[in-house]
Structures are given as structure tokens and as C-alpha cells.
Amino acid sequence: MQAFWRDTVEFLPILMSGVALTIIVTIGSLLLSTLLGLIWALMRVSGIGVVTGFSAGLINVIRGIPIIVLLFYLYFVMPEFGVTLTALQAAILGLGIAYSAYQAENFRAGIEAIDKGQIEAAQAIGMSWWQTMRRVVLPQAVKIVLPPYGNVMIMMLKDSSQASTITVAELALQGKLIASSTFKNTSVFTLVALMYLTMSIPLILLVRHFEKRAGQK
Amino acid sequence: MIELSNVHKSFGKVEVLKGITASVEKGEVVCIIGPSGSGKSTILRCINGLESYDSGDILVEGAKVDRNAASIVSIRTQVSMVFQRFNLFPHRTALENVIEGPVYVKKEPRAEALERGRALLARVGLAEKADVHPPQLSGGQQQRVAIARALAMQPKAILFDEPTSALDPELVGDVLSVMRKLADDGMTMVVVTHEMAFAKDVADRVLFIDGGVIVEQGPAKSVLNQPQHARTQDFLRRVLHPL
């Protein structure tokens, strides 16, 4: 135990630099996946055949490709087409795209849960499709969507570790580097696990808060 | 002001409107009665383009109703709708519900819309409920807010789709008396209803619809007191004397 504390004091500063990147990757890809997911979801419920079909197809393609392959593609293959991204850019883009499919399905479920009467009432006062979405449907859908959205946040925090496969020196990769140079696997990976857990706990509490609020209504 | 000529409408293989021809004059109150599934609500929903129709013509002040044309917005701002299940926006207060259309569709200045909205809520007897959200209101209060919301558009006509059918019996009167006041003020109204007493007292004309056709129509008192057609007689007997 004493050895563990000594290792903690020694490795924590290095691991903390990894934490910073983990947070940057998570927040960056969360924002991107939310934006893209919302676009796919709105296309999906647009009622325009071609647009709906395109969105449904795209979501399936994204869902069918492992995140790690998507990351490799962006980081190793895109340069051959003249698009060179930094590891961090590729990580945020890859995770953002990968998760946009799940966000889209979540948002769509929320939108479709809104009573049809709401949409008719909005149309009956002359609102356009976009006004109906923005003023009537989305504000009500948010409440339904938030609990699963919180779960996606937790999953993204953990899946940000996949960025390590394309050399982003986030928490998991920092851990691996320390472990392979010191052979203190137990201390290092226990520490890494505890740090992920510590970052997850506020998110878990947030999900619980969302669920309570959704339950009240 | 509203004219329907030979309107047909099918849902899949079921033809719900089989050639409806009718007109509503300015300032007139027309009640549409008939059994469930006869197409009453569908007629209303076609008039403001919530449903499309397959053939025939619907004109509002001479403009053809086409739910896919840009002109539908202008028709909807002229012909408001009150729904059976109120369909108020639950995330907005009563007052916000009322000003939603004027501010965001008709681009009225907010201060003006607020002032008018408060006056409208007072007119339906709910001045003190302006800042309450719909789920905290009774059904009758919600429906009166919905009527205020319809009035806020300053429409030329209002369509009522069974406005009291979802209400507890003791709340029906409040809504009907608001509607009667509107009629007295000269509002053009088309009301799908099962409230025969209201139809008799307030309506200028009654249309009896069954099986997607207008079986009988005429001045309210004559259709309701001396129905000519056997189906109308049968329907009225069942509604007025259910035992």
C-alpha cells in the first residue's frame, strides 16, 4: 500500500497531463456529436423521402464501423487524399462522427415521443416546419432526451481512451507509457482506473439528476 | 367565406369524404353533427390544411387551400383551430401560448402582443391564470386558453373540433358560454360537436354528416327539431334519448 502511495505521488503529475487531453477529447467530440446528431435526427424526421433515407443510411454506416477503424481512417488514410489532421483533431472528429449516430437515434426518439397534437397546434397557428421544431418540439424533447444523453457522455469519456491508438497522449496512453517504462503495472493501471472513475462520478450524478427531473413531469 | 365543392378524401382504401359541398358565410355559426367516424373532423382538418384532400376544391376567401403551397400559412392565420384535446404547449405559460402565433408567425411587437394576450385571457375569464403552465389548469381552463390562442391570431373564422368532448361534464358550460359570446360578437365559426343544445341555441345552420356525405342541412332549429331524413332522425333520437 505504501508503495502505491509513493507511485501515486510520482506518477500523478504525468497522468494529470493525460487527464487534460482526455477532457479536451471528450468535450470536443461531445459537442461535435451533439451537433451532427441533431442534424441527422432533423433530417430523419423531415418527412422528405430522399433526406430521410440519406440520414438513415448514414447512421447505419457510422454505426457499422468500429470507432478504432474510423480513427485509423482519419489519421492514417486521409493524408493519402491530401487531408492531414493532427492526432487530436482526428480523435475529436472520429469520436464525434462515431457517436453522432447514437446521438441522432436518441434525439429522434425524443422528437417522435412528442404528441402529434403539438405539431398540429403549431401548424394551425401558421408555424413553418422549422419554427415548429425550434419553438414547440425540441424544447419538449430535451427533457426526454437528457437522461440517455448523460449516459452517452459517460461512454464518450471512457471511449476517449481509444484516441490513444492514434498517439493522442491522453490518460490511457500516459498510463501505458509509464507502465511499460517502470513495469509498475499494478500501481499505474489502478491509478488510471481510479482517475476515469473519478471523472465519471459527476456525470453519473448528473444522469441521476436528469432522470429525477424527467420523472417529475 | 369558406367554400367546399365536391371534396373527396380517402385514408388508404377508406373513403371518408365522398363529395362534400357546403359553404360558410361571414359571421355565420355552422355546427357539424353526425356519428363518430362520419368525417366531421376531417372536413375541419381539410379546411386549414392539416389534412390534404384528394379532389374537389376548398376555398377560403377565394384562395384555394393546398397544404403544400406557401399560401397555407396565410390561410392558417385567417382560420384558427381549437382542438378536442386543447393541444396547448405545456412548456409555455397560458399567456405565452396565446402570444406565440402573433409574435413568431405574424411578427407582432412583443409588448403589443402581450397586452392583447392579457386582454384575451380576461375575455375568456382567465386573467389571473396568465402565468400558469397548462398542466396546472383544468381541462375547461385549458380549452379556454386554447380559444384565446385562436383569437390572438385575429382570425376571420375559427374551427372547433369537438371542443368539449374531452372535458368533465361540469366544465363544459364554461367553454360553451365563451363560444356563445364569440358567436354573439359575430365571429364566423364552424363547430364539430355533440352538444345538441348548443347547436340548437347558437348555430345558424346545422350540417348532419354520415358516411362521408351531407345527409341533411338547414337552419339549426328545423334540422334538430324536425329532421327530414331517417338517418338524422335516428341519430338525434340516440343522442337526445340514449336510454
Side-chain angles (χ1 to χ4, degrees):
Chain A
M1 196 65 197
Q2 234 178 356
F4 179 71
W5 287 121
R6 228 181 304 117
D7 292 341
T8 302
V9 171
E10 190 184 345
F11 301 142
L12 202 57
I14 310 171
L15 290 176
M16 284 310 282
S17 74
V19 166
L21 268 172
T22 291
I23 291 174
I24 290 170
V25 170
T26 305
I27 292 178
S29 49
L30 183 68
L31 293 177
L32 182 64
S33 67
T34 304
L35 181 71
L36 291 178
L38 193 58
I39 294 172
W40 309 152
L42 288 174
M43 286 168 69
R44 192 79 199 270
V45 300
S46 66
I48 305 166
V50 186
V51 176
T52 304
F54 175 79
S55 163
L58 187 67
I59 289 169
N60 281 331
V61 169
I62 295 172
R63 268 201 299 209
I65 300 173
I67 294 175
I68 204 166
V69 176
L70 205 58
L71 291 174
F72 287 167
Y73 220 89
L74 287 168
Y75 192 57
F76 298 120
V77 180
M78 290 311 276
E80 292 188 21
F81 297 100
V83 181
T84 309
L85 300 168
T86 67
L88 183 61
Q89 287 168 342
I92 290 175
L93 200 58
L95 282 162
I97 291 171
Y99 267 93
S100 71
Y102 302 102
Q103 301 275 33
E105 289 297 272
N106 179 23
F107 294 158
R108 180 172 70 105
I111 290 170
E112 287 180 347
I114 302 304
D115 180 25
K116 290 278 169 291
Q118 290 289 309
I119 296 166
E120 292 187 344
Q123 288 179 337
I125 56 174
M127 282 192 175
S128 64
W129 183 86
W130 176 239
Q131 278 179 320
T132 304
M133 277 295 154
R134 201 169 50 85
R135 302 278 317 158
V136 177
V137 177
L138 293 180
Q140 296 184 66
V142 165
K143 263 196 192 146
I144 302 167
V145 161
L146 273 181
Y149 187 81
N151 282 321
V152 168
M153 285 164 71
I154 296 169
M155 278 157 60
M156 291 189 82
L157 171 69
K158 294 183 296 174
D159 272 344
S160 68
S161 60
Q162 300 210 41
S164 65
T165 58
I166 55 168
T167 76
V168 177
E170 44 65 73
L171 182 54
L173 184 56
Q174 292 289 17
K176 194 175 151 224
L177 292 174
I178 299 171
S180 58
S181 61
T182 63
F183 299 105
K184 291 181 173 168
N185 287 314
T186 312
S187 300
V188 172
F189 287 121
T190 305
L191 209 50
V192 168
L194 284 174
M195 289 170 85
Y196 273 113
L197 189 60
T198 308
M199 287 189 281
S200 298
I201 285 170
L203 296 178
I204 291 168
L205 293 175
L206 192 66
V207 171
R208 200 193 287 172
H209 171 73
F210 287 154
E211 280 170 349
K212 254 194 214 146
R213 244 185 38 175
Q216 277 168 2
K217 178 67 211 321
Chain B
M1 109 150 261
I2 300 170
E3 275 169 78
L4 297 90
S5 57
N6 201 22
V7 175
H8 287 259
K9 160 83 183 167
S10 299
F11 289 111
K13 282 185 184 149
V14 185
E15 192 174 26
V16 284
L17 301 182
K18 301 172 183 168
I20 299 287
T21 299
S23 67
V24 180
E25 301 304 320
K26 193 173 183 315
E28 206 180 15
V29 177
V30 174
C31 280
I32 303 179
I33 62 170
S36 296
S38 57
K40 308 182 298 283
S41 294
T42 307
I43 294 177
L44 286 196
R45 295 163 59 81
C46 285
I47 292 174
N48 75 346
L50 285 181
E51 297 283 356
S52 59
Y53 49 100
D54 303 329
S55 65
D57 270 320
I58 300 179
L59 303 177
V60 172
E61 297 263 71
K64 187 176 160 76
V65 177
D66 175 357
R67 76 187 303 256
N68 296 315
S71 59
I72 193 68
V73 172
S74 130
I75 288 170
R76 284 172 176 162
T77 56
Q78 294 175 57
V79 181
S80 291
M81 178 120 174
V82 172
F83 297 89
Q84 181 177 359
R85 302 213 52 90
F86 334 129
N87 297 352
L88 292 177
F89 307 130
H91 57 302
R92 307 199 184 282
T93 65
L95 184 58
E96 285 168 345
N97 266 278
V98 174
I99 66 166
E100 185 75 14
V103 172
Y104 293 96
V105 178
K106 296 180 90 176
K107 311 289 179 203
E108 220 173 89
R110 195 179 175 84
E112 229 168 80
L114 279 170
E115 193 180 324
R116 228 159 42 75
R118 283 184 204 284
L120 284 170
L121 284 175
R123 188 167 159 196
V124 297
L126 292 172
E128 77 287 3
K129 301 287 185 188
D131 300 319
V132 177
H133 283 81
Q136 269 87 55
L137 296 170
S138 74
Q141 291 171 331
Q142 288 192 52
Q143 193 60 298
R144 283 184 282 153
V145 173
I147 293 173
R149 176 172 71 177
L151 285 170
M153 299 302 287
Q154 298 177 303
K156 293 177 177 157
I158 303 183
L159 312 173
F160 293 84
D161 187 5
E162 300 199 29
T164 57
S165 298
L167 298 178
D168 290 337
E170 80 269 23
L171 302 175
V172 169
D174 291 342
V175 172
L176 290 182
S177 70
V178 166
M179 290 170 63
R180 176 198 287 270
K181 260 191 278 170
L182 283 183
D184 292 344
D185 292 347
M187 176 59 75
T188 309
M189 295 163 59
V190 184
V191 187
V192 169
T193 187
H194 292 294
E195 298 291 336
M196 294 306 148
F198 175 84
K200 211 176 279 186
D201 278 4
V202 181
D204 298 303
R205 244 171 351 112
V206 167
L207 308 185
F208 173 69
I209 301 211
D210 191 11
V213 295
I214 299 177
V215 175
E216 188 166 348
Q217 62 173 309
K221 290 198 172 61
S222 74
V223 172
L224 295 171
N225 291 335
Q226 291 114 29
Q228 299 302 307
H229 202 287
R231 262 146 75 192
T232 321
Q233 291 165 0
D234 185 49
F235 173 77
L236 287 172
R237 195 166 46 241
R238 286 163 193 269
V239 172
L240 297 172
H241 310 287
L243 291 179

